[in-house]
Every structure is written in structure tokens, then in C-alpha cells.
């Protein structure tokens, strides 16, 4: 085996490692930060004070009466805002989508129809990609709306409608980074979205159906029967069963209780692990002769399968003392399931 080349060989170290520059201290104080927030607040107030509400109303009304899809588009930071506003409308049940101006010119514009609206977000109104998109979108028959912040811009002149978003200046010390213009775009778009939500009389239940994985959606959609344990998973026993014979059943099903039933599966009562401890303390050796029926609670809180799951949680937490479970019974008091606090929490409620 040949020897390794010396460490100075240019084959292994063609370049010397870069020299580390001395670390310069960076610091920002609380007053400077506060001044920036106040400045941004003033810029936003300028927007609110100078926004043309007649333009905004015309824009909102046009979107409200759309019979097709409301598409949004933009480039760069305005594109991110456009996509977010579109997603907000979708979450409210309004047919909407984001159309990339670049991809649109390479086939995606095929999704546009004469029933659709295309909203173009641009601070300057002179964005080249959007100006190239306009004639193509017009050829598809879509209604075009420019949302811009610079007066007398090119985009406003070629669209069917223009909404001016008043911009005093960017918070950026160079008046370049789009940190205030995008903020007012977002405020404008989301406020219009809520106006549409109100005009369409969207109910809390309808909103929830569009958010089934969120806590709000689950609380308004999930019923007890959706989250309860079914009969084969239930820790059941009979009245005449000895307590000590049912310890495995009491501890193995993860419910912290026994559900006492009769021959026809009617609920007779409940016996919890807390009842076990109290019975053991009070009767000591006598517990070996006691039946579940002698010590069970014959008036437990119960709930029906069609009740909302959130109602079950409220019932568990109700005074005089909270409980960890509710037997689920039908209209004939037949036991069909059990809902536990742990199960509700696991379901995201």
C-alpha cells in the first residue's frame, strides 16, 4: 500500500479554510422594537382611514354573486397572500382556487371559464407575469379584478375592476421590503372573506363540516355513538356476581368501572374502581362475600347515542362531582356502549 500524500498536498487541500471574521455585536432594545410596532400600526391606520369603501363593497358584492370559481393570483409575497385568501374562502365553503401566473401560461389557464372571477394581487400593479396573464384570461371570458396599491398602474387599466389598497409606505427603512403592503392585502382579503361568510349566512354547523379534523369541527360533528366503546368492549357483569370475581373485568377494559346489567342487557347500575376502594375500606374481609349489585350505584349519569360528544363531556364535568365515564343507553335503557373522558380527549374534543 502506498503512503498517504502529505497534508500539504494540493490534491487534498486545494483551498485554505476561510478565515473567521470577528463577531460583531448585534443589539436591539425594547424602545426600538416598540417604535417599529407603533410605526406599523400607523401605516395600517393610514390604510383603514383611506380605504375606498365603495370600491370594497363593489368588490365584495361581485364575489358574492359569482356563479363560478373565484381564482386568486399573484407573484412573490403577493402570491402567498393570494393563496392564503383563497384557502380562507374554501374553508368557508366558497368555491375558490389559486392560479399560478407562470403555470397558467403553460396550460393551467385551461381551468378558467367565463363564469369565473380572477383576482390579481400586486402592490405595484406593474408585475410582468400578471400583465402577460391578463389577455389570456380575458380570452377565456373570466372577469378580472386588480387589487393594487400604486395609483394609475398598468394592471388597473387592463382589468374589469380595480381596488386600490392605500399604502403610506413600507415599514422597511428602505421602503422596499413588502411587509406593510402584504399586511394590508391580508387584512383586506380576510375581512372581505368574513363579509362573504356573513352575507351567505354560514352557520356554525356548516363551518364545522369544513373543519372535521379541528376541535371546532369535532365538537359540532361528532356524536356519542362516534366515540363510544361498543358492546363487545364493555366491562359488564351481573348483579349477583361477587365483587372479587369481577376484578379482572373491572381492570382489563380500561374504563375504570363495571357496568351492571340484567339478562336483557338493561343497565342496572355502575361500580367503579373508587367504589372498590371504599367498599374494601368499609367491609375489609367482608368484601369477599359482597355482590356487585349490593354496592353499585343504581342511579348513574347516562347519555344517549345521538347526543353530541361535547354534551357528554359537559355532563361528565357537571356538579356535584365530575365522573370519568357515561354509560350509553337507548330509549329502553338497554346498554349499548360507554363513553369515557379519556376517549373524548383522545378524539380531540
Amino acid at each position: 500500500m502506498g503512503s498517504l500524500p502529505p497534508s500539504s498536498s494540493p490534491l487534498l487541500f486545494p483551498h485554505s479554510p476561510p478565515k473567521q471574521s470577528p463577531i460583531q455585536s448585534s443589539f436591539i432594545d425594547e424602545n426600538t422594537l416598540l417604535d417599529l410596532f407603533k410605526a406599523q400600526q400607523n401605516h395600517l391606520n393610514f390604510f383603514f382611514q383611506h380605504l375606498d369603501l365603495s370600491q370594497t363593497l363593489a368588490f365584495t358584492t361581485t364575489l358574492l354573486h359569482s356563479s363560478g370559481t373565484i381564482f386568486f393570483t399573484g407573484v412573490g409575497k403577493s402570491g402567498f397572500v393570494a393563496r392564503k385568501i383563497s384557502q380562507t374562502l374554501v374553508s368557508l365553503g366558497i368555491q375558490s382556487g389559486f392560479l399560478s401566473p407562470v403555470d397558467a401560461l403553460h396550460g393551467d389557464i385551461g381551468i378558467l371559464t367565463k363564469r369565473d372571477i380572477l383576482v390579481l394581487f400586486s402592490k405595484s400593479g406593474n408585475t410582468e407575469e400578471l400583465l402577460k396573464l391578463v389577455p389570456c384570461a380575458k380570452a377565456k371570458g373570466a372577469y378580472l379584478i386588480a387589487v393594487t396599491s400604486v395609483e394609475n398602474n398598468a394592471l388597473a387599466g387592463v382589468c374589469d375592476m380595480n381596488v386600490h389598497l392605500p399604502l403610506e409606505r413600507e415599514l422597511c427603512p428602505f421602503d422596499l421590503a413588502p411587509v406593510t403592503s402584504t399586511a394590508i392585502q391580508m387584512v383586506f382579503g380576510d375581512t372581505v372573506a368574513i363579509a362573504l361568510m356573513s352575507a351567505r349566512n354560514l352557520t356554525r354547523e356548516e363551518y364545522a363540516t369544513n373543519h372535521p379534523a379541528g376541535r371546532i369541527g369535532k365538537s359540532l360533528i361528532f356524536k356519542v355513538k362516534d366515540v363510544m366503546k361498543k358492546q363487545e368492549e364493555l366491562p359488564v357483569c351481573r348483579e349477583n356476581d361477587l365483587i372479587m370475581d369481577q376484578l379482572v373485568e373491572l381492570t382489563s377494559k380500561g374504563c375504570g368501572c363495571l357496568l351492571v346489567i340484567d339478562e336483557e342487557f338493561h343497565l342496572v347500575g355502575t361500580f367503579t374502581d373508587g367504589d372498590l376502594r371504599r367498599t374494601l375500606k368499609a367491609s375489609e374481609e367482608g368484601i369477599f362475600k359482597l355482590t356487585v349489585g349490593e354496592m353499585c350505584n343504581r342511579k348513574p349519569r347516562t347519555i344517549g347515542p345521538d347526543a353530541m360528544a361535547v354534551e357528554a363531556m359537559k355532563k361528565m364535568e357537571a356538579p356535584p362531582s365530575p365522573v370519568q365515564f357515561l354509560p350509553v343507553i337507548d330509549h329502553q335503557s338497554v346498554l349499548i356502549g360507554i363513553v369515557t373522558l379519556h376517549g373524548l380527549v383522545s378524539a380531540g374534543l
Side-chain angles (χ1 to χ4, degrees):
M1 181 184 294
S3 61
L4 293 173
S7 60
S8 60
S9 169
L11 294 176
L12 290 181
F13 300 96
H15 304 290
S16 58
K19 294 181 179 180
Q20 299 294 325
S21 59
I23 298 176
Q24 298 180 354
S25 60
S26 299
F27 177 75
I28 183 167
D29 59 54
E30 185 176 306
N31 289 332
T32 301
L33 192 60
L34 179 61
D35 288 343
L36 286 171
F37 277 110
K38 287 183 176 179
Q40 183 75 310
Q41 182 182 34
N42 290 334
H43 297 331
L44 293 176
N45 286 339
F46 178 88
F47 162 73
F48 291 125
Q49 292 162 5
H50 294 84
L51 179 65
D52 188 333
L53 287 179
S54 63
Q55 280 188 352
T56 305
L57 178 60
F59 173 76
T60 308
T61 302
T62 301
L63 299 193
L64 179 64
H65 295 151
S66 171
S67 60
T69 301
I70 304 169
F71 287 100
F72 291 81
T73 190
V75 176
K77 308 299 187 298
S78 293
F80 289 122
V81 174
R83 185 186 297 273
K84 191 273 176 188
I85 295 170
S86 172
Q87 291 173 337
T88 297
L89 292 187
V90 170
S91 76
L92 301 178
I94 299 172
Q95 194 170 329
S96 182
F98 176 77
L99 182 64
S100 164
V102 175
D103 293 338
L105 298 180
H106 292 273
D108 283 6
I109 200 170
I111 198 172
L112 276 182
T113 72
K114 61 182 180 181
R115 298 170 60 243
D116 299 332
I117 295 172
L118 179 62
V119 182
L120 303 94
F121 273 89
S122 171
K123 171 189 171 181
S124 67
N126 295 311
T127 308
E128 183 179 353
E129 294 89 342
L130 297 184
L131 290 172
K132 288 181 179 179
L133 175 61
V134 167
C136 306
K138 280 189 171 184
K140 297 288 291 185
Y143 188 84
L144 308 188
I145 305 176
V147 180
T148 60
S149 289
V150 175
E151 299 279 7
N152 302 317
N153 62 78
L155 197 60
V158 295
C159 288
D160 300 298
M161 177 188 293
N162 178 65
V163 180
H164 176 69
L165 304 186
L167 174 65
E168 186 176 29
R169 59 160 289 139
E170 300 286 2
L171 183 64
C172 166
F174 310 122
D175 194 19
L176 294 174
V179 291
T180 303
S181 56
T182 51
I184 64 177
Q185 287 174 344
M186 190 75 78
V187 168
F188 172 80
D190 282 346
T191 304
V192 168
I194 299 304
L196 294 172
M197 176 183 180
S198 177
R200 290 162 61 95
N201 297 312
L202 186 73
T203 66
R204 187 179 176 89
E205 290 71 24
E206 289 171 332
Y207 180 81
T209 59
N210 296 331
H211 299 76
R215 186 172 183 181
I216 293 176
K218 290 177 180 178
S219 68
L220 294 173
I221 295 174
F222 282 14
K223 294 186 176 182
V224 168
K225 61 186 177 183
D226 298 320
V227 295
M228 71 181 187
K229 291 187 176 184
K230 306 298 192 297
Q231 282 192 2
E232 60 274 9
E233 304 173 274
L234 304 183
V236 296
C237 68
R238 310 291 180 177
E239 285 186 79
N240 296 327
D241 291 337
L242 292 174
I243 292 175
M244 299 306 292
D245 290 342
Q246 296 301 315
L247 291 185
V248 173
E249 188 73 6
L250 173 63
T251 58
S252 64
K253 297 295 180 66
C255 297
C257 68
L258 289 170
L259 302 174
V260 189
I261 57 173
D262 64 15
E263 297 299 326
E264 296 178 342
F265 235 81
H266 294 107
L267 181 68
V268 174
T270 61
F271 184 83
T272 68
D273 48 12
D275 293 328
L276 175 64
R277 289 190 295 271
R278 287 185 289 271
T279 302
L280 182 59
K281 183 177 181 179
S283 61
E284 297 182 348
E285 292 87 353
I287 194 172
F288 290 97
K289 298 180 181 180
L290 292 174
T291 64
V292 178
E294 291 178 275
M295 304 306 297
C296 72
N297 173 17
R298 292 180 177 267
K299 292 184 178 180
R301 299 179 202 179
T302 60
I303 198 164
D306 292 319
M308 302 306 296
V310 68
E311 181 185 335
M313 181 170 285
K314 291 178 181 178
K315 201 166 187 177
M316 289 183 195
E317 297 171 344
S321 59
V323 296
Q324 299 293 311
F325 67 90
L326 292 175
V328 183
I329 58 175
D330 65 14
H331 64 285
Q332 295 180 329
S333 295
V334 173
L335 179 68
I336 59 175
I338 186 173
V339 58
T340 65
L341 183 59
H342 179 268
L344 293 174
V345 173
S346 298
L349 293 163

